[in-house]
Amino acid sequence: MSAGCQCDSGVAAASRPRLAELSVPAGMLLDMTVRDPDSTPAIVAEGLVKRYGETTALDGVDLRVPAGTVFGLLGPNGAGKTTTVRVLATLIRPDSGTAVVGGYDVHRDAHRVRQLVGLTGQYASVDEMLTGTENLVMIGRLLGLSRPQAKARAAELLAEFRLSDAASRPAKTFSGGMRRRLDLAASLVGRPRLLFLDEPTTGLDPRSRNEMWDVVRDLVGVHGVTVLLTTQYLEEADQLADDIAVVDHGRIIAQGSPDELKKQTGAQTLAVRPVDRADTELVVTTVAEITGAAPELAGTLVSAQVTDPAVLPAIVRRLDDAGVTVGEITLRSSSLDEVFLSLTGRPAEDAASPGTDPADPADTGGAPTGRAGEPATDDPTARIPAATRS
């Protein structure tokens, strides 16, 4: 439970006399609810709608996020992922629909929701002029921790995120990966039970991205935190999420585990690469004749969608009879990229192109935007973790 919630425990007990009579530690029932995957869902949203003028950012979003899991919102820029997070984190109100987070309504009990959640946005919320320790101590003090408690919590998080050696350096000297880890640590100062990660690995190199993935896995597996992750990276969703909701134009167009979504295409992908480049044309012809599909060619790799696994040995026999030596041949289930293509009619790379308007309210939650879509600097709450707001 966050520090802010602990400060309110007396008020909560007075307003719920029956709970006060139970001989269990304060907050134990909530902790059990969030950590038990078979208990009440951590997040339930029904019919969320949000419009900005003529733009519909959310068009009836329904979500059910099991506790103690990673739930992925997958979609291109402008799909409505960030708007959904901002509604669930109580930063904006939906025009219609309901959302319950941690057992509390985001509209009626917004203050309670904020005490339970942490938020790491697309852009770092740390103060670049402060050191790593100073950033975390400041958040701790805002949450009501005493100075010794805030320093102890800062040291604990810096060690956990492998930032102890840089604790006394200004954040502006941190690498991109270090800054993102510090930003995530800041959202955990209040020990939230639910964490919203809004495209946490955007702009990171592959090594830093893998490090962030490990951190997310530990948050769920070791600490029992429920994570709602938004991403436009198909590999990231596949690696981390227990369940995925595919978002497009403000709607959930598909939902399920990564394997369940992959099965929706009803097809597998056959890929064949000849040893001799000169045989590529013959391989293309053979694959087309046997599969009845138009193959795709990438260099010397010939691939096609198939529904009958029996085509694999048939192609091997045909190519062997023709004297073609095969260097690579595989038959695999569909990737999330292919699922996205089948659901939306366009590849994820095209949907998430850099040319997307960064100020699209469907992806910024309608907040005023500055350079490259960052929250405008005149919004004093834009760079403060959600758990510190009241």
Side-chain angles (χ1 to χ4, degrees):
M1 186 176 296
S2 68
C5 189
Q6 292 169 358
C7 293
D8 286 347
S9 60
V11 176
S15 62
R16 298 195 298 265
R18 290 188 179 180
L19 286 180
E21 293 170 4
L22 292 175
S23 57
V24 295
M28 180 177 177
L29 294 179
L30 175 62
D31 185 62
M32 291 168 59
T33 298
V34 174
R35 290 178 181 272
D36 183 359
D38 296 324
S39 65
T40 303
I43 299 172
V44 177
E46 297 180 353
L48 293 181
V49 174
K50 185 65 181 177
R51 298 184 180 88
Y52 299 96
E54 296 182 356
T55 300
T56 301
L58 300 180
D59 191 14
V61 168
D62 297 324
L63 289 177
R64 188 178 182 88
V65 179
T69 65
V70 178
F71 189 93
L73 283 180
L74 174 65
N77 290 332
K81 305 185 303 295
T82 298
T83 303
T84 301
V85 167
R86 291 173 67 85
V87 168
L88 297 176
T90 75
L91 299 182
I92 58 175
R93 292 182 180 178
D95 296 325
S96 62
T98 61
V100 175
V101 175
Y104 294 104
D105 185 276
V106 297
H107 177 47
R108 294 193 305 269
D109 305 304
H111 182 61
R112 294 293 187 189
V113 173
R114 291 168 188 162
Q115 293 167 348
L116 299 178
V117 306
L119 169 63
T120 296
Q122 295 180 24
Y123 304 95
S125 61
V126 298
D127 190 319
E128 295 186 350
M129 302 306 295
L130 299 181
T131 66
T133 296
E134 289 169 343
N135 267 288
L136 300 187
V137 168
M138 177 186 68
I139 299 298
R141 296 291 285 160
L142 288 171
L143 284 168
L145 299 180
S146 67
R147 187 170 296 278
Q149 288 174 328
K151 288 184 177 180
R153 182 61 175 154
E156 177 185 349
L157 287 168
L158 289 168
E160 185 172 346
F161 284 85
R162 302 186 303 280
L163 292 171
S164 296
D165 292 343
S168 60
R169 287 168 40 193
K172 66 181 180 181
T173 67
F174 285 17
S175 67
M178 293 171 64
R179 193 172 303 184
R180 290 302 283 171
R181 296 206 304 274
L182 179 62
D183 193 36
L184 182 54
S187 68
L188 296 174
V189 171
R191 303 182 189 274
R193 295 295 183 231
L194 298 100
L195 185 62
F196 298 112
L197 300 181
D198 193 9
E199 302 196 12
T201 63
T202 296
L204 296 185
D205 59 75
R207 178 180 177 181
S208 297
R209 182 173 297 167
N210 286 329
E211 289 177 348
M212 284 294 293
W213 290 355
D214 289 339
V215 168
V216 173
R217 293 186 185 105
D218 285 344
L219 287 173
V220 178
V222 177
H223 300 287
V225 176
T226 301
V227 174
L228 189 147
L229 169 81
T230 77
T231 183
Q232 54 182 297
Y233 298 124
L234 295 153
E235 181 188 7
E236 184 163 81
D238 204 2
Q239 286 282 335
L240 294 178
D242 298 292
D243 288 290
I244 297 172
V246 181
V247 189
D248 195 33
H249 295 102
R251 296 182 178 181
I252 304 294
I253 59 175
Q255 186 169 330
S257 69
D259 287 341
E260 289 171 345
L261 290 177
K262 292 172 185 177
K263 291 177 182 178
Q264 286 190 15
T265 62
Q268 295 177 297
T269 298
L270 171 75
V272 185
R273 188 193 304 274
V275 170
D276 189 343
R277 179 180 291 271
D279 291 329
T280 302
E281 185 175 349
L282 178 57
V283 171
V284 170
T285 302
T286 301
V287 170
E289 290 178 353
I290 294 179
T291 66
E296 294 183 3
L297 183 62
T300 59
L301 184 66
V302 182
S303 59
Q305 296 292 305
V306 299
T307 56
D308 183 4
V311 301
L312 180 61
I315 288 175
V316 170
R317 286 193 296 268
R318 178 79 66 87
L319 293 177
D320 185 52
D321 291 343
V324 175
T325 302
V326 175
E328 175 185 347
I329 184 166
T330 60
L331 183 63
R332 58 170 176 79
S333 60
S334 298
S335 67
L336 279 182
D337 198 359
E338 289 156 347
V339 171
F340 192 91
L341 174 62
S342 69
L343 291 171
T344 66
R346 62 190 188 282
E349 290 81 1
D350 294 344
S353 65
T356 303
D357 181 7
D360 183 353
D363 204 43
T364 63
T369 55
R371 177 178 55 85
E374 294 187 48
T377 55
D378 59 353
D379 179 0
T381 67
R383 299 178 67 82
I384 302 176
T388 68
R389 305 189 189 109
S390 59

